[in-house]
Amino acid sequence: MLFPAVLTALVVAGTVPLWLAAPQPAPRIALDVVLMLSVCGTLFLPRRHVLAAGVFALLATGLYYVLSSADGPLIVVVMACLYAVAAEGRTNAAVGLGAAVVIGAGLGTLAGNDEINGITLIMMAGWVVALVALGAVRHGRQEALRAAVLRTEEEARLRAAEERLRIARELHDVVGHHLSMINVQAGTALHRLDRDPGRAGAALGVIKEASRETLRELRATLGVLRQVDEAEPTAPAGRLDRLDELVRYAELASLETTVTVEGERRPLPAGVDLAAFRILQESITNVTRHAAARRVRVTIAYGPAELRLEVRDDGSAGGGPAGGGVRGMRERARALGGELAAGPVAGGGFRVRARLPYGEGA
C-alpha cells in the first residue's frame, strides 16, 4: 500500500497549489476533491478489480479535466492503472485504455485546450506505449517464474515418488527373500520336529542364519537412507559374487539349483551388479514360494555390452511370480535401460529373462 499512498500524496501536493493560485467557488473545489480522491482510491483496490479500476479512473479523470480549472497531475494515476492492467496479463484491455487516453487528450487539443499541443500528445502516447510494454514484460516474467516454480515442485514430487519407489523396492528385495526362506524352513522344522529332529535342527539353523542376514541387510539399507547428503548413496550389499548364498538358501529349501555362467566374467558397474543380484534373488525367492518346483536353472551371460540373466524352474506354469515382485524387477531393469520378461514356458515351468546394459561407465 506504500506506492498508492505516495502517489496519492504527490497528486494532492501537485493540485493544491493550483487551487490556491486560482481560487474557485467552494462547490467547484468540493467536486474537484471528490473526483480526485475517487480516482486515487482506485489505486487501493485489490488486483482482481484492476480492470474496473482502470476504466473508472479513466472516466473520472476525463470528467475532472473537463470540469476543473486546475488541471493537476491526476493523469499519472491513469498511467499507473494502465501499467497495472498490463502487468495482470490483460494486455489488450491496457492497449484499449491507453488508446482512449491518447484519443481523449487529442479531443482536448481540438477543443482548444492550450496546455495540450502536438508535442505533448506525442509524449503522452510514448508514455502509454512504454507503460503498457513494461506491464506486459512484468507479467511475462511473473508467468515464467510461476512456471519455473511449478516445474521445480513437480520435479521434486517426481524425485520423492521415485525415491519412495526405490526404498520400497529395496526393502522388498532385502527383507522378502530372507523372510520367505524363514517361512519355508519354519514349516520344514515344524513338519519334521518329531520324525526327523536332525533335519528340523538344520532348518532352525537356516532360520537363524537367514534372520541374521536379514538384520544385516536391513541395517545396511537404513544406513543408506540416512546418507541424505550424498548425491549417489552407496547401495546396500548385494553383488553377483554373493550368488552362492542364494544357491545355498535355495538348496536348503530342497530346490536343486544349477548355475551356468557364459562369456568372460568382467567387473560390473555398481548399479548393474546390484540390479542383477536383486533380480536373481527375487526370482529364486518366488520359485521357492510359488512354483512348487524341484529344480531351477540360473544362467548368467556376460556379453560385450550387456549382462543377460535367465532363471527357469520346472514347477507349475501358473505358479510363477506375480504382483510387486515382477514389477519391481522390471523397474530395476528399465532404470538401467534394459528390459525384463517373465512368464510360463511351453512344457511347464516359469522363466524370468533380463537384459541389463553395462552403460558408458563399464
Side-chain angles (χ1 to χ4, degrees), residues 54-284:
V55 172
F56 177 82
L58 176 63
L59 296 176
T61 300
L63 183 61
Y64 172 87
Y65 283 122
V66 169
L67 299 179
S68 177
S69 59
D71 289 343
L74 193 58
I75 188 65
V76 298
V77 177
V78 178
M79 294 297 186
C81 290
L82 283 179
Y83 172 81
V85 171
E88 287 298 313
R90 303 186 179 187
T91 307
N92 292 336
V95 170
L97 290 176
V101 170
V102 176
I103 292 173
L107 292 177
T109 302
L110 295 176
N113 190 334
D114 296 334
E115 296 185 4
I116 302 179
N117 53 35
I119 296 177
T120 304
L121 197 61
I122 293 174
M123 292 179 61
M124 182 177 293
W127 276 107
V128 167
V129 172
L131 289 171
V132 172
L134 286 174
V137 169
R138 182 175 185 271
H139 175 72
R141 293 182 62 181
Q142 287 179 328
E143 287 298 307
L145 180 60
R146 188 178 296 112
V149 170
L150 292 176
R151 185 166 56 251
T152 301
E153 292 176 350
E154 181 63 22
E155 290 174 354
R157 283 194 294 268
L158 289 176
R159 285 195 299 270
E162 291 173 356
E163 184 65 11
R164 286 195 298 269
L165 180 62
R166 185 187 69 82
I167 293 171
R169 186 169 58 230
E170 199 65 42
L171 290 176
H172 175 275
D173 291 345
V174 167
V175 179
H177 167 73
H178 294 296
L179 290 184
S180 296
M181 189 62 61
I182 289 172
N183 180 62
V184 170
Q185 294 300 321
T188 301
L190 288 174
H191 181 67
R192 298 180 179 274
L193 186 60
D194 295 328
R195 293 182 300 172
D196 191 351
R199 187 70 178 272
L204 291 175
V206 173
I207 291 174
K208 179 180 179 180
E209 185 175 350
S211 61
R212 183 174 62 248
E213 184 67 14
T214 301
L215 289 174
R216 186 187 70 80
E217 292 210 18
L218 189 56
R219 289 192 189 100
T221 301
L222 294 177
V224 170
L225 298 181
R226 294 191 186 100
Q227 297 171 4
V228 295
D229 294 331
E230 294 188 8
E232 295 183 1
T234 305
R239 301 168 59 90
L240 282 182
D241 56 16
R242 294 179 53 204
L243 181 60
D244 291 344
E245 297 179 19
L246 301 181
V247 173
R248 182 159 52 88
Y249 282 134
E251 291 177 344
L252 288 173
S254 302
L255 186 64
E256 182 181 332
T257 306
T258 303
V259 178
T260 302
V261 178
E262 300 176 355
E264 184 179 354
R265 291 179 182 268
R266 56 180 293 171
L268 297 174
V272 175
D273 206 359
L274 174 63
F277 179 82
R278 294 303 186 204
I279 289 172
L280 294 178
Q281 183 183 55
E282 178 66 20
S283 299
I284 293 174

